[in-house]
Amino acid sequence: MSRPIHILGLGANGTESLSERAREALNAATFVAGGKRHLALVEPRQVEIFAITNNLNELATRLRNRGPDERCVVLASGDPLCYGVGVTLQRALGSEPLEIEPALCSLQLAFARAAHSWQDAAIASIHGRPAPPVLIPLLGKPKIGLFTQDGSSPSAVADFFLERGLDDYRVWVCEDLGSPTERVTRLAIQELPNRRFRDLNFLVLIRNESDGSRPGFTSRPAVPADDEFARPEGGPVLLTHRDVRSIALNRFADVPPGPIWDLGAGLGGVSVGLANQFPTREVVAVERSSTQLEYLRENRKQFEAWNLRIIHGAAPAALADEVAPAAVFVGGSGRQLDLILDLVLSRLIPQGVFVANFVGLENLAQTLVRLRLEGWSPTVTQVQISPGQDLAGLTTFVPLRPVWIVQGRRPT
Ligand SMILES: C[S@@+](CC[C@H](N)C(=O)[O-])C[C@H]1O[C@@H](n2cnc3c(N)ncnc32)[C@H](O)[C@@H]1O
């Protein structure tokens, strides 16, 4: 019968932070694993040392095969079960052999320094992983705790939020927590770009208008009424009718992973709907009119559609550097249909979904012919909305112009 594996959390002050139980385990150890920083803090002698780099599988195998008399200790920072080595080892070895002694977690210390509760915060980590998929679901959350990668992370995170119109956060950058060099800087999110911090840091972000205690997003209508959208006064209402938007959004089913593009987003009726329907993805709205753009930004804010990134420009040039989309929406193509179809056919990923609304017969026909030539099997639906209207006390129906909704999936 093998002995338990002790996973000991260390604070920045090293062995001082160890409990009596942890100290005993460390003193009796015959095998000590830890990152370079942890091993330097503890300086274990006369034992087998295992330096953790990116070799956790190897460590798990070594621990699984430990001899009956071996006393194994793994060093971690803070709470090993909070984005730490404890999580990986628990997955690899199960809970049974593990005895875990946490120290204070950087998360706890950071929220303590900011004097805000953290039980209601959204907690995430961009340490050792690509940031965008982690950050997108956090956009707009009232209170966020974020483990970072290095000294450039606070500025990069601020850029990511600001680029999407989120400029109302207070941020606490908490460096070297628990050590003599600890420093906590509180600033507005706009003050962060281009500033560099020490590599060990944790971010607390709290939205200004709240005390951070609202749970998550407030409820957002998937398909808001037309008159809830900001729009130019007296200007043309370039908005897809609410009922048509409902059906068009419904056509985005079984979309493979990846971003979604809205080409010619206008005031953002469909963009906002897509952003709300796919809250963990990025929706990229392209709009070339600067007047529309202003309202598009306003509508993003109005409907808290923070995962909507707005690009000022014209397709296809404006999208040249973008990641290939998993779905594309086109809400009318002006005189550019050929170019738009070229773009969709060249960039949409296999099994990706294309949805387009048309009011002109020629555009509909051109699209169907082109897609069929490319081996697609598009569907088309005629949507004819007739809102009820009072006529001298009687209800009558006034038909709106029909819209054709095309949906197709790119063959593999
Ligand atoms: C892999 S996570 C480890 C978290 C650890 N299990 C804990 O409980 O704090 C590494 C990240 O934690 C944060 N971190 C760890 N120690 C820190 C410290 N002393 N001061 C500030 N942030 C720290 C940094 O964001 C760092 O990139």
Side-chain angles (χ1 to χ4, degrees), residues 253-277:
D254 297 321
V255 177
I260 300 177
W261 292 357
D262 181 1
L263 308 183
L267 303 178
V270 174
S271 286
V272 161
L274 284 169
N276 288 341
Q277 188 168 323

Side-chain angles (χ1 to χ4, degrees), residues 57-72:
N57 286 341
E58 204 184 303
L59 175 62
T61 309
R62 172 69 184 83
L63 291 171
R64 195 179 290 116
N65 299 328
R66 69 197 181 284
D69 295 326
E70 284 194 276
R71 296 168 184 266
C72 299

Side-chain angles (χ1 to χ4, degrees), residues 116-138:
H116 276 275
S117 62
W118 58 270
Q119 84 245 359
D120 47 359
I123 306 295
S125 170
I126 55 169
H127 187 84
R129 63 197 89 197
V134 175
L135 297 181
I136 285 170
L138 298 179

Side-chain angles (χ1 to χ4, degrees), residues 12 77-79 82-84 105-106 127 147-149 174-177 200-202:
S77 59
D79 184 343
C82 183
Y83 293 106
C105 175
S106 43
H127 187 84
F147 292 92
T148 62
Q149 177 63 16
C174 306
E175 302 165 272
D176 294 347
L177 286 162
L200 217 45
N201 67 76
F202 183 96

Side-chain angles (χ1 to χ4, degrees), residues 33-91:
K36 215 164 110 193
R37 196 167 56 87
H38 300 133
L39 291 171
L41 283 170
V42 168
E43 295 181 330
R45 279 158 221 241
Q46 320 266 315
V47 297
E48 181 184 340
I49 305 280
F50 184 106
I52 300 178
T53 48
N54 48 5
N55 51 358
L56 283 178
N57 286 341
E58 204 184 303
L59 175 62
T61 309
R62 172 69 184 83
L63 291 171
R64 195 179 290 116
N65 299 328
R66 69 197 181 284
D69 295 326
E70 284 194 276
R71 296 168 184 266
C72 299
V73 162
V74 180
L75 304 172
S77 59
D79 184 343
L81 291 175
C82 183
Y83 293 106
V85 66
V87 180
T88 318
L89 291 180
Q90 192 278 335
R91 277 193 201 126

Side-chain angles (χ1 to χ4, degrees), residues 377-393:
S377 310
T379 64
V380 59
T381 309
Q382 171 167 295
V383 181
Q384 164 107 62
I385 304 295
S386 301
Q389 200 178 69
D390 179 82
L391 181 70

Side-chain angles (χ1 to χ4, degrees), residues 160-206:
F160 195 90
F161 276 56
L162 290 168
E163 232 174 69
R164 287 157 180 82
L166 272 166
D167 56 5
D168 58 347
Y169 277 92
R170 283 167 284 164
V171 185
W172 285 256
V173 184
C174 306
E175 302 165 272
D176 294 347
L177 286 162
S179 84
T181 55
E182 173 177 311
R183 184 171 61 185
V184 177
T185 314
R186 180 187 154 166
L187 62 193
I189 194 164
Q190 295 92 334
E191 298 173 88
L192 267 174
N194 302 318
R195 282 185 68 151
R196 173 114 207 156
F197 293 87
R198 298 196 199 119
D199 276 343
L200 217 45
N201 67 76
F202 183 96
L203 296 182
V204 174
L205 297 101
I206 298 185

Side-chain angles (χ1 to χ4, degrees), residues 270-340:
V270 174
S271 286
V272 161
L274 284 169
N276 288 341
Q277 188 168 323
F278 295 95
T280 60
R281 303 188 191 219
E282 182 157 73
V283 175
V284 178
V286 186
E287 178 51 55
R288 65 176 156 192
S289 143
S290 26
T291 320
Q292 304 260 16
L293 206 74
E294 201 183 308
Y295 291 94
L296 183 54
R297 288 206 184 100
E298 188 55 37
N299 286 320
R300 170 172 66 184
K301 192 168 175 186
Q302 161 94 345
F303 298 106
E304 301 247 350
W306 303 115
N307 51 331
L308 179 63
R309 183 156 54 87
I310 298 171
I311 298 183
H312 186 195
L319 290 155
D321 297 330
E322 292 294 319
V323 172
V328 178
F329 177 74
V330 175
S333 53
R335 265 144 235 113
Q336 302 263 301
L337 187 55
D338 268 331
L339 280 179
I340 298 286

